[in-house]
């Protein structure tokens, strides 16, 4: 594909994740921020001002008719991802769409289909694939640093303070197990190279304004085809601690990731920390992973590579579909109080996409 010196970029969804994207790319030498869009006028105006976008709109379609728009970043809630992605692809725009790619497998299958057949590129924002800390740990696990099978312990629990409204909007569409679990089920499959064979879990609704059909704390337990097992624990709420555990244990050792922000203040400039403890000799190694270049920037750079080197979007889209599938089955397992065998549940029409 022809290299464009400056890509005309539009952001749809001026919230937390929209800001994370623009913080990392608004000064990118190949980016011309054409516009920002949000259903809420004040948010669109505020973002246009903050990131010096040339324009703003409450209707993203305004941008799809313009020839100077090449890339649309979608950072809205999951129920709108398919509609906006479809409109962008039909208008000949490249898409970087936030995860989870959709709130259900039917929409997700259509996004995989669209992305696999479009002339333009579609990348779903599974940011950990572009995070150098996770890339490094993935290499270590796959290279046998801790042996196999592995136990994967992962939690992401957040005390919500001033962003509760935004979490409630998400909870109306997907549970915390689906919303962030897509990252960690993807990590389990990516690190082991194995398929998820079954999922079970539990959830609890702990706050009165959480919609009655869902929960704001939950956990899924996953078994993989190589004998590895893992759990993902998620919680959003006023009574939650801020906790972030990422640990991988095998017969030959243990790896733990500590995010920069969870390290003592005097160590934070060193970036993220990876600790590797070997068994049985107890030898310990530590790796500091520079975090000055953010994964959101690397992810955007990967989209540019997809465009300029004509990279196939299919493998990633299929991986992310699988991760979503497991979390949706995990959600079902939580609601039905049983263990679900994943492979039998696959939709035949997307297996061979
Ligand atoms: N990759 C990550 O690590 C990560 C982290 C947080 C959130 N997310 C994902 O990002 C997405 C957005 O989450 P958030 O936390 O930024 O939410 P948010 O509430 O902070 O922002 C969402 C914004 O989208 C706007 N919006 C909704 N529908 C729209 C539409 N059809 N057109 C234009 N604007 C629309 C809302 O008004 C709101 O301003 C979700 O899919 C979420 O799962 C990803």
């Amino acid at each position: 594909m022809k290299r464009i010196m400056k890509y005309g970029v539009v952001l749809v969804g001026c919230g937390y994740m929209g800001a994370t994207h623009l913080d990392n790319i608004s000064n990118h030498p190949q980016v011309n921020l054409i516009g920002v869009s949000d259903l809420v006028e004040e948010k669109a105006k505020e973002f246009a001002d903050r990131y010096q976008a040339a324009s703003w709109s409450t209707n993203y379609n305004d941008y799809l008719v313009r020839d100077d728009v090449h890339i649309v970043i979608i950072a809205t809630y999951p129920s709108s991802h398919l509609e906006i992605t479809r409109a962008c692809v039909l208008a000949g725009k490249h898409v970087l769409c936030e995860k989870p790619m959709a709130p259900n497998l039917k929409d997700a299958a259509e996004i995989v289909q669209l992305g696999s057949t479009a002339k333009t590129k579609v990348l779903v924002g599974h940011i950990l694939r572009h995070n150098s800390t996770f890339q490094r740990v993935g290499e270590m696990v796959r290279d046998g640093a801790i042996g196999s099978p592995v136990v994967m312990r992962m939690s992401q629990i957040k005390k919500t303070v001033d962003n509760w409204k935004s979490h409630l909007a998400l909870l109306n569409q997907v549970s915390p197990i689906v919303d962030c679990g897509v990252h960690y089920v993807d990590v389990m499959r990516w690190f082991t190279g194995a398929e998820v064979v079954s999922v079970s879990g539990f959830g609890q609704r702990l706050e009165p304004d959480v919609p009655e059909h869902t929960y704001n704390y939950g956990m899924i337990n996953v078994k993989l085809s190589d004998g590895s097992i893992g759990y993902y624990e998620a919680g959003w709420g006023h009574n939650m601690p801020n906790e972030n555990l990422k640990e991988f244990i095998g017969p030959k050792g243990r790896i733990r990731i500590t995010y920069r922000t969870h390290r003592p203040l005097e160590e934070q400039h060193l970036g993220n920390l990876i600790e590797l403890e070997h068994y049985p000799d107890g030898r310990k190694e530590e790796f500091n992973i520079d975090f000055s270049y953010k994964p959101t920037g690397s992810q955007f750079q990967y989209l540019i590579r997809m465009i300029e080197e004509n990279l196939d979007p299919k493998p990633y889209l299929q991986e992310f579909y699988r991760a979503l599938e497991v979390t949706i089955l995990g959600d079902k397992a939580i609601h039905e109080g049983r263990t679900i065998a994943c492979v039998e549940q696959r939709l035949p029409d997307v297996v061979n996409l």
Side-chain angles (χ1 to χ4, degrees), residues 101-302:
M101 63 168 97
N104 59 63
L105 293 177
K106 188 169 165 290
D107 282 17
E110 192 175 334
I111 290 186
V112 177
Q113 180 74 50
L114 270 169
S116 305
T117 51
K119 288 202 175 77
T120 51
K121 299 296 177 188
V122 175
L123 178 64
V124 174
H126 271 243
I127 195 71
L128 299 181
R129 291 279 185 155
H130 308 276
N131 180 315
S132 50
T133 305
F134 280 82
Q135 288 170 342
R136 181 79 177 269
V137 173
E139 268 168 34
M140 290 159 94
V141 173
R142 284 194 308 278
D143 289 350
I146 56 171
S148 169
V150 289
V151 172
M152 295 171 276
R153 307 173 62 218
M154 289 187 268
S155 69
Q156 185 168 317
I157 305 191
K158 289 190 281 189
K159 184 177 186 65
T160 47
V161 188
D162 48 4
N163 53 357
W164 184 231
K165 253 175 86 179
S166 161
H167 283 87
L168 281 180
L170 273 168
L171 277 169
N172 267 297
Q173 303 204 352
V174 286
S175 71
I177 286 296
V178 173
D179 183 69
C180 292
V182 290
H183 284 309
Y184 300 103
V185 170
D186 182 51
V187 163
M188 293 181 198
R189 296 179 71 255
W190 170 29
F191 284 13
T192 59
E195 194 46 90
V196 173
V197 291
S198 70
V199 61
S200 59
F202 51 68
Q204 190 67 270
R205 178 174 169 265
L206 288 169
E207 305 213 19
D209 45 355
V210 171
E212 282 188 16
H213 68 272
T214 191
Y215 48 88
N216 61 312
Y217 171 85
M219 179 188 268
I220 50 170
N221 301 301
V222 165
K223 284 189 184 169
L224 293 107
S225 54
D226 69 342
S228 295
I229 55 174
Y231 74 74
Y232 172 62
E233 184 191 22
W236 300 341
H238 299 93
N239 302 333
M240 297 288 164
N242 274 318
E243 264 181 19
N244 217 317
L245 175 68
K246 306 287 173 302
E247 191 164 55
F248 305 86
I249 309 169
K252 288 165 56 182
R254 180 168 60 89
I255 298 170
R256 179 186 274 250
I257 296 173
T258 305
Y259 290 150
R260 182 181 54 109
T261 46
H262 290 245
R263 297 181 73 170
L265 263 181
E266 64 278 13
E267 289 179 12
Q268 292 190 0
H269 68 284
L270 297 171
N272 293 338
L273 174 66
I274 300 173
E275 293 168 284
L276 167 60
E277 184 174 324
H278 296 273
Y279 183 81
D281 61 13
R283 191 165 49 88
K284 290 187 181 149
E285 291 180 85
E286 286 190 0
F287 308 91
N288 291 303
I289 309 293
D290 179 38
F291 207 69
S292 48
Y293 188 63
K294 298 286 187 320
T296 325
S298 307
Q299 177 176 256
F300 183 79
Q301 206 52 46
Y302 184 74

Side-chain angles (χ1 to χ4, degrees), residues 82-99:
L82 171 61
E83 178 204 303
I84 306 175
T85 301
R86 192 198 287 124
C88 291
V89 166
L90 288 176
K93 311 301 177 196
H94 303 290
V95 172
L96 171 49
C97 177
E98 261 314 320
K99 54 63 23 190

Side-chain angles (χ1 to χ4, degrees), residues 13 15-17 38-39 43 75-77 81 98-100 166 179:
Y16 168 78
M17 210 51 212
D38 199 289
L39 293 175
K43 289 190 177 187
T76 59
Y77 305 123
H81 289 175
E98 261 314 320
K99 54 63 23 190
S166 161
D179 183 69

Side-chain angles (χ1 to χ4, degrees), residues 41-56:
E41 186 175 313
E42 293 70 39
K43 289 190 177 187
K45 278 184 180 164
E46 195 269 311
F47 263 50
D49 196 37
R50 195 192 316 174
Y51 295 103
Q52 292 169 2
S55 61
W56 60 269

